[in-house]
Amino acid sequence: MKQKYSMLDVVKELKNLIPSKATRKRVYLDRRNYLICILYYKFKCSEEHIATHIDVTRDAVTVAKRQPIYLVKSGDPTFQQNTLHLQKKYPYEVPETHIPISKGRERSKTIFLDATTLNRIQLFREKYHVDNNRSAIRLLIDLGLDKIEKESITFEVLWKQTKYL
């Protein structure tokens, strides 16, 4: 059963955890980094926000938020031991990668399409009542990728399609 906890709970724990003198002891760093990872990835706190609340630099937060991902992925036993009580108190499945997948951080790509393709997209948009071309293109890409993931496509099929590109 997952316990429910708030961002404030994690911040309080983090403030209580930080020793009065600066230290580089692994046990403190592992615990601090685990809590920073939760604040950044689960609660979507900015690096600046985290840094100001726990009195560290933003650069330290940048490194700290990624460290648990690498240590969990590698199965580091010291990290597991150092953060065991925090993992029970604040259960969180760290992401598999540090690359953000939130909507506010999408990447854009520019492509150039010929008039025929643009007309086909417009017809698709009208037929299926899609709001705009961008949404229609995203939908078509998602549908195409879903189909490719479900069915195996041979090199010959791809090669024939490149003639039209």
Side-chain angles (χ1 to χ4, degrees):
M1 180 179 162
K2 291 190 176 186
Q3 292 177 311
K4 293 196 179 208
Y5 54 92
S6 69
M7 181 177 71
L8 187 60
D9 296 334
V10 176
V11 171
K12 284 180 184 176
E13 182 78 30
L14 192 52
K15 285 183 177 182
N16 292 336
L17 179 76
I18 296 175
S20 57
K21 290 184 178 180
T23 182
R24 300 297 300 160
K25 288 188 178 180
R26 172 96 190 256
V27 66
Y28 290 113
L29 291 178
D30 283 346
R31 291 172 182 169
R32 179 195 77 172
N33 295 350
Y34 178 74
L35 294 173
I36 288 173
C37 181
I38 291 173
L39 288 173
Y40 185 80
Y41 291 106
K42 179 175 180 163
F43 295 110
K44 308 290 187 235
C45 294
S46 70
E47 292 176 358
E48 292 83 7
H49 180 77
I50 297 169
T52 57
H53 278 74
I54 61 169
D55 198 30
V56 295
T57 65
R58 189 196 58 79
D59 296 332
V61 174
T62 300
V63 174
K65 72 181 185 188
R66 294 179 182 157
Q67 199 65 24
I69 296 169
Y70 300 127
L71 294 173
V72 167
K73 196 182 271 188
S74 67
D76 187 284
T78 306
F79 177 79
Q80 293 297 332
Q81 182 181 4
N82 290 342
T83 60
L84 186 62
H85 76 283
L86 289 175
Q87 289 179 23
K88 288 180 180 177
K89 191 173 182 179
Y90 305 107
Y92 178 66
E93 192 74 34
V94 296
E96 292 182 18
T97 179
H98 65 85
I99 300 171
I101 309 177
S102 65
K103 243 184 173 2
R105 298 182 183 180
E106 293 176 349
R107 295 185 178 162
S108 63
K109 298 292 179 196
T110 303
I111 60 170
F112 298 96
L113 302 171
D114 60 356
T116 306
T117 305
L118 287 172
N119 287 338
R120 290 176 65 196
I121 292 169
Q122 183 65 32
L123 290 171
F124 172 84
R125 193 182 131 196
E126 291 169 2
K127 182 176 180 180
Y128 294 101
H129 308 287
V130 180
D131 292 337
N132 53 43
N133 282 347
R134 179 181 176 181
S135 298
I137 291 169
R138 285 185 97 159
L139 181 59
L140 287 167
I141 290 171
D142 286 341
L143 290 170
L145 290 173
D146 288 345
K147 184 173 182 171
I148 288 171
E149 289 170 356
K150 289 178 186 170
E151 301 172 12
S152 60
I153 299 217
T154 62
F155 179 75
E156 290 80 24
V157 171
L158 291 174
W159 184 254
K160 289 177 187 175
Q161 288 300 315
T162 58
K163 292 178 185 175
Y164 302 109
L165 298 178

